[in-house]
Amino acid sequence: MGRSRRTLPEELLLLALDPATGTTAQPQSLDLGLAGAQLVELALAGRIAPDGDRIAVVVPRPTGDPTLDCALELLRRRGAPVRAVHWIGGPRLGLRQTYLSHLERCGMVAAVAGQMCGVLPTTRYQATDTAISREIRARLDSAIRTGVPPDPRTAALAALAHAVGLGKHLYPGNEGRSSRSRLRDLIRHDPMGGLVAHAVMDVQNGVAAQPRRGPGPAGRQTGARAMPAAEPARGVPMQPRRGSMAGRAVVH
């Protein structure tokens, strides 16, 4: 996978970054969305595929992206297909910070040191190239405005944005109500994005232990019985930050 193209986790994070405050909207659910975005990106790269409500590794070959390849290797080690809701609901060890640090190294965001309550050091992030964020937003706006089925990548981004609750951040107030509704409707245009988005929402709603019902491939019934929770998926290795870690808070 070439690095000339931004990955879905990177785009979702840039979409969530508030240019006025340097923080990310929906910080808790965003972690779930980033884990889901990794799955969609791996599917777009042909490394994994949906198997009912589960995710199966079909090509274990690395993509060239270290963060995605870490997730791919963890999925491969599971041996059997894993339910998307279990994977996304597992602990995400520094996933958001890993992507923020990556975007900083790529020059797409800049870390800005500050203080909380005048005492506790904090780090906020500002986009250094607003044209990138505008291009990402324009793709969503176009899909919402025209009603033309978007490409799978944009459809998946819309599904994830809705799932983590970015609709009210992107299209606030009563005037944005119809846009939020159309953002939700874009879920149906990408099966993998839809599967992952529903898994993200299921985790937030606390229904991860209840499989989504419906026929799977080859007539297999998903949700025929409750499966025991799989071993929580580990996140990705945290990237070391420059300078001392003591007493510094990252404001998201």
Side-chain angles (χ1 to χ4, degrees), residues 206-232:
V207 294
Q210 303 173 7
R212 183 173 298 277
R213 295 186 179 274
R220 189 185 71 186
Q221 291 292 324
T222 63
R225 60 185 179 91
M227 298 294 292
E231 178 186 353

Side-chain angles (χ1 to χ4, degrees), residues 14-31:
L14 287 170
L15 199 62
L17 194 62
D18 189 325
T21 65
T23 61
T24 53
Q26 304 297 115
Q28 300 307 316
S29 57
L30 182 60
D31 291 342

Side-chain angles (χ1 to χ4, degrees), residues 103-129:
L103 291 176
E104 183 184 8
R105 290 193 302 273
C106 292
M108 285 189 276
V109 302
V112 180
Q115 287 186 329
M116 181 183 296
C117 302
V119 178
L120 182 64
T122 63
T123 302
R124 298 175 185 270
Y125 291 87
Q126 298 287 348
T128 56
D129 188 352

Side-chain angles (χ1 to χ4, degrees), residues 143-154:
I144 288 173
R145 184 180 63 255
T146 64
V148 176
D151 61 275
R153 180 173 295 274
T154 301

Side-chain angles (χ1 to χ4, degrees), residues 39-113:
L39 293 181
V40 178
E41 188 66 45
L42 287 170
L44 289 171
R47 301 313 195 264
I48 64 175
D51 181 9
D53 66 347
R54 298 171 184 268
I55 302 298
V57 175
V58 293
V59 178
R61 185 177 69 251
T63 66
D65 181 298
T67 311
L68 291 174
D69 289 341
C70 181
L72 179 62
E73 175 61 14
L74 290 172
L75 285 166
R76 186 193 66 79
R77 290 179 185 176
R78 300 295 281 271
V82 58
R83 286 184 62 208
V85 71
H86 284 160
W87 176 264
I88 291 170
R92 308 265 70 88
L93 302 180
L95 188 57
R96 187 176 3 146
Q97 184 57 46
T98 295
Y99 275 107
L100 282 169
S101 298
H102 168 72
L103 291 176
E104 183 184 8
R105 290 193 302 273
C106 292
M108 285 189 276
V109 302
V112 180

Side-chain angles (χ1 to χ4, degrees), residues 153-208:
R153 180 173 295 274
T154 301
L157 181 61
L160 288 163
H162 167 71
V164 302
L166 286 182
K168 291 184 178 180
H169 167 69
L170 299 171
Y171 307 104
N174 289 332
E175 63 275 15
R177 184 176 302 171
S178 62
S179 293
R180 293 195 298 271
S181 177
R182 287 192 289 269
L183 181 70
R184 180 189 64 236
D185 292 342
L186 291 175
I187 288 180
R188 69 178 186 272
H189 292 296
D190 180 62
M192 183 65 182
L195 168 65
V196 169
H198 283 297
V200 169
M201 291 185 284
D202 282 349
V203 173
Q204 294 179 81
N205 293 330
V207 294

